[in-house]
């Protein structure tokens, strides 16, 4: 066994993944990884690193340099990069965003270049050149030029319209304005004019134009509140805070204009949560982190104004770096269609070569000995055969359908407009219609196997609603009156008696209001008082109304609920909090705030009442609260049962408790608390330890139940998509408990589902890898590989895995280079070979492990990945694409979903309050998740069926048209003579047969939209590629061959030894060509009538109109008048009128059409009678199925004491605002220098210790 260790070692190899934390950032550097292991690193490594850092401070990673108010600094030669030959540009991007492809000068050449990259377009360009050579041309040049110009023109117009829309969107963003310091004062400037190093001013509700360093703001201590919905879909506010030094000295315009700070920081990257840098100013350096950076795309909230220094602009900003690589997306049918076109190329070459050989043989046997065929050229038969090869390439060129691509584009464009115009996907509340942002992927919507969905803002509204509660063992929240009588229909509670009610809470339990107002049970009032006092919510007044800003929507919902029930949080200072208790204002002294973190899963507050009593109020997850309860809690079991009921209803729960504290106990504890607060090392651990001492022997009050409100129709949509055999994976940055709870709420998970977690599947995958390694020995080549399932058959399983476990299982953990000193001389060849082999083994192991994981995950009915980074979301999508070869769709609403949206075959953006970054990167967008079922089951399925029918028919009609030349060759000495008039060849695909097939591709539907939604099982035909594949392609080709055979030989037989009614023989070449052409046009247009499932007036008009158009144009082209004007171009003078006045010709045409179509009718009838498809059955009984089926939610079965599934996620991901509140930094007061505040705090602590 090879035990050699490579110098590349995995980070924390022996550590267990932590489910609570999001794993490393996407671009984490090796040094950052090492920072986590400083405590255990070897001493020699530390010495080496210290020496290196002392020698080159800030030069290794902090290479991005920014000088405030100095644009010339960034134009220095060493900041220039060579772009093209001697052309150089600054490495600092300007702030203009460019998503368009063309400008006025590049449109024509670039668009033509892109179009001629298509094999068919380039082929026809070559064909046009060949037709200009007199020796080989057999058709007039216009037969190719006219269709080619139409194709190029239509595609160019479509591309132009798309690019103009991009230009408009770019201009809208780039021309937004903000204030920038120019010439020592603030001036209005456009976003595109902003450069790195500029100092800008932003006002309330402004979008942030670039990544900027916060210098100062209108808030105390230069706090700045931002909404990050554009980045992560979360609408709760985050706070940023400037450096104390910039807060003090950079408030006024003249000081900001004179600011000459110098910043060294990391290079632009996609890490939204990390920033490392240093500000050098006034001969002092100040460390910078992510809490001082405002990111582009965020919105300034609750802050009148703020000032910032631009660090990264335009393409260098983090939101743009997170956009991922833009991929050119093509559908599965596109690839298949291209392969089929290549197949037709091969057929064309083989036919041309065969006919050319036939001509050479015919020349050798007959042509050379027929004096009347002498053309004045003394060429050899082989040379004539060679020329005829190119002649037949030209004659048979319509086998490769030039109008195929442009027709496909027109159909896709029309289908895109149908999506845009669909009123059932229009969201009136936000005035947001559905939008097809691309026109090239519509039919792929009918072939989706896997959907990858974000949670926050996509499945949920990110709106928390107070639904129920349990107080002193009694559950409140059901529909009942003040006398505890239950009613199915009852009016909501009227909160008008409460002057602070916000009017937004809808609550139906009148008995709870009765209890609060009567006050018979003090625990009820105590319960809501706790909600009003134990939180980190900030409050301000707007137009006399209270406005709460919470660190998480859960906490905001709880405080708002207390407000509506009569306990309104009014205001707070650093040391006090004021509550309105049923109209009476009372102020409490806040002695300590014990903030939430992901380990504690609770928060507490210690207050002194006006009467002098000290109380601790605590709220948190039941798992941590129950461990800290006093032994004598009478309502412990009743509350436990209530929690189980709430959990079965997929509500998010919190337990509330309190504790009376003696004065002496508090004073002793407070000394420890103050000591831990100013600890210089491990402060958080010390504080948590002190918190544990006071948070014990708690008295349970009850529990809250909050609904993380799903978007309307989410469970119904997921249920229907599951019936369509589409698997849904949820990829979210939320905690495991939250994601699991939402899985149950939207019925992705049920009580019957067996849930597997990361640790469970890690063992399964390890066992599988061991088995595969054992089987990969000498006998592996003799044993056929069999797919072994990971789970026994039957049963409903789901996988819930965190980002940390995902990295562990997929061997994606960050690597760091060992700092062990290496010898400087080169390695030997043997060492180099061993190293290469080791890397290959690691790569092979990683690939096998990833494939095993995908196989395992795909055996589960649902997969939820939580605490994952944007990069991991894209990685999961890519794994399924790579190993399952399945069509994927990703749907999200924030910038953290952009990478996933771009990686999937189809990306869908949810538009609305959560920002537009995901929408701008998506292929389709709409306002609600429920519209996804209509997009896929209706528009997607219809688009797939229409495109498949269109392609099958298109190949059929072109083969039926072109192969008549082939049969004709056997009777003209293989001379590349055409069987039709040149103008008929030119207009066949452009006019005579184009409109009916286009309308079928746009309007056809096998069943109605309501039946498509009612029977999702119809969707599987697209997933299995049943309607268009190589078998269907060759059937269409065979159909075309047989039709061409009939079209040629029946008129040929009819014309042999025939005399017209005028005594003349109509069997001349031109009359024969008109007869075949007329039969062809009628046949192919009637054939599309047989293929049409959904008849409208437009369809019928197009079919009969195309036939009438053919005859009308033919009679015009065969008239004497046009021949006089253009004698060389129109040579079939009088042919149509002469031939078609013969009844015999019309009988021949009718017979030919009948023989071509009757077998098709017979086969269709037998097929629908004996082997009907699912859609045939539904179509047959559509009248009985018109009554719409109502979807019913699955009933949850509550089993007392069994369900332990709860989500206590009622806090933000990070700590709340407690540190800001208790330190007073968020309170408006006279500003003091930082050192004075620290000195005062230290002195106070010393006085306390001495006493």
């Amino acid at each position: 066994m090879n035990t050699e260790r490579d110098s590349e070692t995995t980070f924390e190899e022996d550590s267990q993944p932590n489910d609570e934390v999001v794993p490393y950032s996407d671009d984490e550097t090796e040094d950052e990884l090492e920072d986590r292991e400083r405590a255990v690193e070897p001493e020699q490594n530390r010495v080496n690193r210290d020496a290196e850092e002392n020698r080159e401070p800030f030069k290794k990673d902090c290479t991005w340099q920014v000088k405030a108010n100095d644009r010339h600094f960034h134009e220095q030669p060493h900041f220039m990069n060579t772009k093209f030959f001697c052309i150089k540009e600054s490495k600092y991007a300007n702030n203009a965003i460019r998503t368009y492809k063309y400008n006025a000068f590049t449109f024509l050449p670039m668009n033509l270049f892109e179009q001629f990259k298509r094999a068919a377009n380039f082929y026809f360009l070559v064909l046009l050149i060949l037709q200009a050579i007199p020796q080989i041309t057999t058709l007039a040049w216009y037969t190719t030029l006219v269709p080619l110009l139409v194709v190029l023109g239509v595609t160019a117009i479509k591309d132009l319209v798309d690019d103009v829309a991009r230009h408009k969107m770019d201009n809208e963003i780039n021309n937004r304005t903000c204030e920038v310091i120019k010439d020592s004062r603030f001036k209005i400037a456009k976003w595109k004019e902003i450069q790195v190093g500029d100092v800008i001013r932003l006002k309330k509700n402004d979008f942030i134009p670039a990544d900027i360093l916060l210098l100062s703001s209108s808030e105390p201590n230069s706090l700045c509140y931002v909404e990050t919905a554009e980045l992560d879909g979360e609408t709760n506010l985050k706070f940023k805070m400037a450096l104390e030094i910039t807060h003090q000295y950079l408030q006024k315009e003249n000081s900001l204009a004179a600011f000459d700070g110098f910043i060294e920081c990391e290079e632009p990257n996609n890490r939204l949560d990390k920033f490392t840098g240093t500000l050098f100013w006034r001969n002092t350096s100040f460390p910078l982190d992510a809490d001082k950076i405002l990111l582009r795309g965020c919105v300034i909230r609750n802050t009148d104004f703020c000032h910032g220094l631009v660090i990264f602009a335009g393409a260098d900003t983090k939101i743009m770096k997170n956009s991922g690589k833009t991929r050119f997306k093509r559908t599965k049918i596109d690839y298949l269609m291209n392969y089929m076109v290549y197949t037709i190329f091969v057929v064309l070459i083989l036919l041309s070569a065969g006919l050319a050989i036939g001509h050479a043989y015919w020349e050798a046997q007959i042509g050379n000995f027929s004096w009347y065929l002498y053309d004045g050229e003394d060429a050899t038969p082989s040379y004539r055969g060679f020329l005829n090869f190119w002649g037949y390439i030209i004659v048979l060129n319509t086998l490769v359908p030039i109008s195929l691509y442009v027709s496909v584009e027109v159909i896709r464009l029309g289908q895109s407009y149908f999506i845009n115009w669909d009123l059932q996907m229009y969201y009136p509340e936000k005035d947001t219609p559905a939008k097809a942002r691309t026109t090239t992927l519509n039919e792929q919507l009918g072939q989706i196997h896997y959907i990858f969905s974000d949670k926050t803002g996509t499945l949920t509204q990110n709106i928390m609603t107070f639904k129920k509660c349990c107080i002193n063992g009694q559950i409140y929240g059901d529909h009942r009156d003040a006398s505890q009588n239950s009613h199915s229909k009852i009016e909501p509670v009227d909160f008008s008696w409460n002057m602070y009610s916000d009017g937004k809470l809808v609550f139906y339990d009148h008995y709870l209001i009765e209890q609060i107002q009567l006050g018979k049970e003090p625990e009820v009032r105590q319960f809501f008082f706790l909600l009003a006092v134990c939180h980190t919510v900030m409050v301000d007044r707007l137009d006399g109304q209270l406005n709460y800003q919470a660190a998480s929507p859960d906490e905001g919902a709880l405080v708002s609920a207390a407000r509506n029930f009569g306990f309104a949080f009014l205001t707070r200072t650093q040391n006090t909090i004021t509550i309105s208790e049923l109209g009476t204002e009372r102020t409490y002294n806040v002695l300590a705030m014990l903030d939430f973190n992901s380990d504690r899963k609770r928060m507490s507050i210690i207050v002194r009442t006006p009467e002098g009593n000290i109380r601790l109020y605590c709220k948190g997850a039941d798992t941590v609260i129950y461990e800290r309860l006093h032994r004598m809690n009478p309502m412990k079991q009743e509350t436990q049962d209530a929690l189980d009921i709430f959990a079965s209803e997929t509500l998010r729960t919190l337990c509330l408790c309190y504790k009376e504290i003696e004065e002496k106990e508090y004073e002793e504890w407070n000394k420890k608390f103050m000591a831990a607060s100013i600890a210089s090392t491990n402060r958080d651990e010390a504080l948590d330890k002190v918190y544990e001492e006071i948070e014990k022997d708690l008295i349970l009050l009850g529990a809250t139940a909050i609904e993380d409100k799903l978007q309307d129709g989410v469970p119904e949509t997921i249920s229907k998509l599951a019936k369509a055999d589409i698997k849904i994976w949820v990829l979210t940055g939320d905690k495991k408990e939250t994601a699991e709870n939402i899985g149950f709420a939207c019925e992705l998970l049920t009580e019957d589902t067996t849930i597997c977690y990361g640790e469970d599947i890690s063992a399964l995958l390890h066992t599988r890898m061991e088995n595969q390694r054992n089987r990969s020995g000498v006998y592996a080549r003799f044993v056929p590989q069999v797919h072994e399932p990971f789970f026994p058959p039957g049963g409903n399983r789901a996988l819930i895995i965190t980002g940390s476990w995902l990295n562990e299982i997929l061997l994606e953990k960050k690597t760091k280079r060992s700092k062990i000193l290496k010898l400087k001389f080169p390695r030997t060849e043997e060492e180099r070979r061993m190293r290469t082999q080791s890397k290959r083994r690691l790569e092979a192991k990683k690939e096998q492990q990833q494939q095993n994981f995908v196989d395992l995950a795909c055996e589960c009915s649902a997969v939820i990945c939580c605490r994952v980074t944007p990069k991991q979301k894209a990685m999961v999508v890519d794994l399924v694409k790579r190993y399952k070869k399945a069509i994927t769709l990703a749907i999200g609403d924030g910038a953290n979903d952009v990478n996933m949206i771009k990686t999937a075959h189809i990306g869908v953006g949810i538009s609305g309050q959560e920002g537009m970054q995901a929408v701008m990167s998506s292929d389709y967008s709409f306002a609600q998740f429920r519209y996804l079922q209509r997009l896929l089951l209706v528009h997607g399925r219809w688009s797939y069926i229409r495109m498949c029918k269109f392609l099958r028919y298109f190949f059929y009609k072109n083969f039926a048209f072109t192969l008549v030349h082939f049969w004709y060759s056997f009777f003209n000495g293989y001379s590349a003579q055409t069987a039709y008039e040149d103008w008929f060849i030119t207009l066949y695909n452009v006019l005579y047969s184009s409109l009916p097939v286009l309308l079928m591709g746009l309007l056809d539907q096998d069943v109605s939209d309501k039946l498509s939604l009612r029977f999702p099982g119809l969707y599987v035909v697209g997933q299995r590629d049943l309607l268009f594949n190589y078998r269907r392609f060759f059937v269409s080709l065979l159909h075309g061959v047989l039709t061409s055979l009939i079209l040629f030989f029946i008129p040929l037989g009819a014309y042999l030894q025939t005399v017209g009614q005028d005594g003349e023989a109509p069997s001349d070449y031109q009359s024969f060509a008109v007869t075949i052409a007329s039969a062809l046009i009628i046949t192919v247009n009637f054939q599309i009538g047989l293929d049409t499932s959904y008849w409208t007036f437009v369809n019928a008009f197009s079919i009969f109109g195309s036939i009438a158009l053919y005859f009308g144009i033919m009679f015009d082209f065969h008239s004497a008048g046009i021949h006089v004007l253009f004698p060389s171009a129109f040579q079939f003078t009088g042919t149509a009128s002469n031939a078609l006045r013969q009844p015999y010709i019309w009988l021949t045409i009718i017979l030919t059409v009948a023989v071509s179509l009757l077998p098709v009718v017979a086969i269709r009838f037998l097929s629908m009678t004996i082997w009907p498809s699912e859609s045939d059955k539904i179509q047959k009984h559509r009248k009985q199925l018109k009554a719409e089926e109502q979807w019913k939610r699955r009933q949850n079965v509550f089993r007392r004491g069994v369900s332990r599934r709860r989500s206590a996620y009622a806090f933000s991901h990070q700590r709340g605002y407690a540190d800001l509140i208790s330190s007073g930094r968020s309170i408006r007061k006279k500003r003091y220098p930082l050192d004075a505040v620290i000195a005062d705090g230290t002195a106070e602590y010393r006085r306390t210790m001495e006493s």
Side-chain angles (χ1 to χ4, degrees), residues 925-944:
S925 66
F926 41 70
Q928 296 279 290
F929 181 84
R930 68 176 183 271
Y931 298 148
L932 186 62
Q933 61 173 312
R934 188 166 180 85
L935 182 72
L936 300 186
L937 302 183
V938 178
H939 291 287
R941 200 179 71 84
W942 280 352
S943 295
Y944 173 74

Side-chain angles (χ1 to χ4, degrees), residues 771-806:
N771 293 340
Q772 287 171 341
R773 189 179 297 119
N774 294 337
R775 284 200 299 265
S776 63
V778 181
Y779 302 104
R781 69 186 69 178
F782 305 109
V783 181
Q785 283 193 347
V786 290
H787 174 70
E788 299 176 18
F790 286 86
F791 303 109
N796 185 18
R797 290 178 180 80
L799 171 62
I800 298 179
I801 186 168
T802 60
S804 300
W805 272 109
L806 204 57

Side-chain angles (χ1 to χ4, degrees), residues 221-284:
N221 289 282
S222 285
L223 282 172
C224 181
Y225 298 95
V226 294
E227 183 182 281
T228 60
E230 190 88 9
L231 297 177
D232 54 19
E234 296 184 7
T235 52
N236 50 293
L237 301 187
K238 286 31 172 224
F239 66 86
K240 305 288 183 178
M241 189 165 64
L243 289 165
E244 177 69 21
I245 185 75
T246 60
H247 161 65
Q248 277 187 312
Y249 295 105
L250 297 179
Q251 293 288 346
K252 297 182 179 179
E253 184 175 314
N254 56 356
S255 59
L256 286 162
F259 177 53
D260 60 350
F262 179 76
I263 292 175
E264 281 189 345
C265 65
E266 61 190 14
E267 291 282 324
N269 56 65
N270 66 355
R271 295 174 293 173
L272 296 172
D273 58 337
K274 292 284 182 72
F275 180 82
T276 304
T278 304
L279 168 64
F280 299 93
W281 190 42
R282 296 191 165 204
N283 300 319
T284 313

Side-chain angles (χ1 to χ4, degrees), residues 1101-1162:
F1101 179 79
S1102 70
I1103 290 172
F1104 292 106
S1106 294
I1107 296 172
L1109 183 68
Y1110 158 72
F1111 282 108
I1113 291 176
M1114 181 177 64
F1115 277 106
D1116 282 343
F1117 283 2
H1118 292 189
S1119 66
I1122 201 167
H1123 175 72
V1124 171
L1125 294 174
F1126 308 99
S1128 61
F1130 299 94
Q1131 299 174 353
F1132 274 50
T1133 309
T1135 304
S1137 55
N1138 182 58
L1140 296 179
R1141 64 188 173 85
Q1142 305 278 356
Y1144 187 83
I1145 301 299
W1146 282 107
L1147 286 172
T1148 302
I1149 292 172
I1150 292 169
L1151 178 64
T1152 306
V1153 172
V1155 173
S1156 298
L1157 296 180
L1158 284 176
V1160 178
V1161 174

